[in-house]
C-alpha cells in the first residue's frame, strides 16, 4: 500500500527566507503523481504543484518548486521568499495506478515577520 | 471558472441524528471525491465517483454513510446515524476524470461537522 510521510509537524521561517518541507513516499508502481496542497485556516485545500514520476525536470510554479529525488523517494516542497500569507498547513499527496490519492499528515508552516 | 461548491459550511448535530452534505463540482469535471479530514490529520478518501458510477468506496463506512451522484454532476453525502467520531471536515473535490496519475483534484471549502 502506498504511504506518504511528512516528518515535520511544524516549521518556522522568517519572512523573505526560503523553506523546505519534507515528504517521502512509498509505492511499488513506476507511474505515479506527487502533489502538494496548502490548507489555510479557512479549510480549503489549495493545489500548489504537481510532479510526475517520469518528469525529468523538477516542477516549478512561481515561488514553489519541488525537489524530486526519485531514487530516494522524496518530493520536498521549496517555498522561496516566504510571505506572511504562506502560513498554513501543507500536505503532500500521491496518486498511483490504484487511482486513489493518499495524503501525508501535513506540516504546519508559520512565517514570522 | 467557478470552483467546487459545498454546503453547508458548518453543521452541529446531536449524536444519532442524520446529516447531509452537498457538493457541486467544477463544470465539466467527471470525477468527484468525498474526503473526511479529522483534526490534525490529512484527508482520507471516502468515495470516488466517475460520472454517476462509484469507482472506489472501500473506505466508506457503509453502515452509516451513503453517497450518491444521480445525474453525474451534484453529489450528496449522508450520515445516518451520526457518531461522536464523525466530527471532522468533509471535503469534496473534483477532477477532469482522466483517471490517470496526473489528474489534479480541486477541492471545495469543506463542511465542518461537529457531533455532540
Amino acid at each position: 500500500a502506498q504511504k506518504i510521510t511528512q516528518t515535520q509537524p511544524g516549521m518556522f521561517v522568517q519572512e523573505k527566507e526560503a523553506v523546505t518541507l519534507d515528504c517521502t513516499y512509498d509505492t511499488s508502481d513506476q507511474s505515479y503523481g506527487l502533489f502538494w496542497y496548502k490548507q489555510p485556516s479557512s479549510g480549503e485545500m489549495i493545489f500548489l504543484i504537481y510532479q510526475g514520476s517520469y518528469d525529468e525536470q523538477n516542477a516549478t510554479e512561481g515561488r514553489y518548486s519541488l525537489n524530486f529525488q526519485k531514487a530516494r523517494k522524496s518530493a520536498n516542497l521549496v517555498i522561496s521568499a516566504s510571505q506572511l500569507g504562506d502560513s498554513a498547513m501543507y500536505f503532500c499527496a500521491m496518486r498511483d495506478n490504484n487511482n486513489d490519492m493518499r495524503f501525508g499528515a501535513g506540516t504546519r508552516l508559520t512565517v514570522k515577520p | 471558472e467557478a470552483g467546487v461548491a459545498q454546503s453547508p459550511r458548518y453543521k452541529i448535530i446531536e449524536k444519532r441524528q442524520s446529516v447531509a452534505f452537498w457538493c457541486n463540482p467544477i463544470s465539466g469535471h467527471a470525477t468527484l471525491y468525498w474526503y473526511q479530514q479529522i483534526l490534525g490529520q490529512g484527508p482520507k478518501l471516502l468515495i470516488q465517483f466517475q460520472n454517476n458510477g462509484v469507482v472506489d468506496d472501500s473506505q466508506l463506512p457503509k453502515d452509516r454513510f451513503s453517497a450518491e451522484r444521480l445525474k453525474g454532476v451534484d453529489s450528496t453525502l449522508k450520515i445516518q446515524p451520526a457518531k461522536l467520531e464523525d466530527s471532522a471536515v468533509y471535503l469534496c473535490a473534483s477532477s477532469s476524470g482522466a483517471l490517470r496519475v496526473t489528474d489534479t483534484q480541486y477541492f471545495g471549502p469543506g463542511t465542518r461537522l461537529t457531533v455532540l
Side-chain angles (χ1 to χ4, degrees):
Chain A
Q2 52 174 243
K3 184 179 177 181
I4 312 297
T5 303
Q6 293 181 256
T7 57
Q8 306 152 314
M11 289 282 287
F12 290 89
V13 64
Q14 204 68 36
E15 193 179 8
K16 300 179 186 176
E17 298 283 314
V19 64
T20 298
L21 306 183
D22 295 342
C23 173
T24 58
Y25 59 91
D26 186 27
T27 179
S28 55
D29 285 357
Q30 295 301 308
S31 176
Y32 51 88
L34 297 157
F35 303 80
W36 277 92
Y37 287 85
K38 171 184 178 181
Q39 188 175 43
S41 55
S42 60
E44 184 172 354
M45 298 280 283
I46 301 167
F47 167 69
L48 296 178
I49 195 167
Y50 163 82
Q51 178 84 44
S53 59
Y54 291 117
D55 293 342
E56 295 185 353
Q57 303 268 4
N58 284 342
T60 61
E61 286 287 347
R63 294 187 298 111
Y64 304 109
S65 60
L66 205 152
N67 183 0
F68 180 45
Q69 299 186 49
K70 193 170 182 177
R72 300 177 69 175
K73 293 189 174 179
S74 76
N76 299 339
L77 177 70
V78 181
I79 305 175
S80 62
S82 295
Q83 301 172 357
L84 296 178
D86 293 336
S87 293
M89 285 291 291
Y90 288 81
F91 290 95
C92 178
M94 182 178 69
R95 188 174 193 177
D96 62 16
N97 286 318
N98 288 323
N99 279 312
D100 58 333
M101 185 94 95
R102 298 297 175 105
F103 288 81
T107 295
R108 180 172 297 281
L109 177 67
T110 303
V111 181
K112 299 190 287 186
Chain B
E1 179 182 271
V4 177
Q6 288 188 250
S7 67
R9 291 295 313 276
Y10 305 91
K11 191 74 177 178
I12 301 173
I13 61 172
E14 303 268 337
K15 61 183 178 184
R16 291 187 289 273
Q17 285 187 323
S18 302
V19 65
F21 312 126
W22 173 83
C23 173
N24 185 267
I26 291 172
S27 178
H29 277 191
T31 310
L32 186 146
Y33 314 79
W34 283 102
Y35 288 87
Q36 180 192 60
Q37 186 178 20
I38 291 171
L39 187 65
Q41 300 180 16
K44 182 187 84 171
L45 180 70
L46 292 175
I47 189 167
Q48 176 183 345
F49 292 95
Q50 177 76 359
N51 296 309
N52 59 352
V54 176
V55 174
D56 181 2
D57 64 355
S58 58
Q59 297 190 84
L60 186 74
K62 298 180 186 64
D63 57 334
R64 297 184 301 107
F65 286 64
S66 64
E68 60 182 14
R69 194 185 184 200
L70 292 176
K71 296 183 180 180
V73 181
D74 294 10
S75 177
T76 56
L77 175 70
K78 297 179 182 176
I79 308 175
Q80 182 179 12
K83 292 185 175 181
L84 296 176
E85 58 260 36
D86 298 333
S87 294
V89 175
Y90 290 85
L91 293 162
C92 180
S94 71
S95 66
S96 62
L99 286 182
R100 295 192 302 262
V101 297
T102 58
D103 202 21
T104 298
Q105 297 180 24
Y106 297 92
F107 285 79
T111 297
R112 187 176 298 275
L113 174 67
T114 302
V115 182
L116 302 176

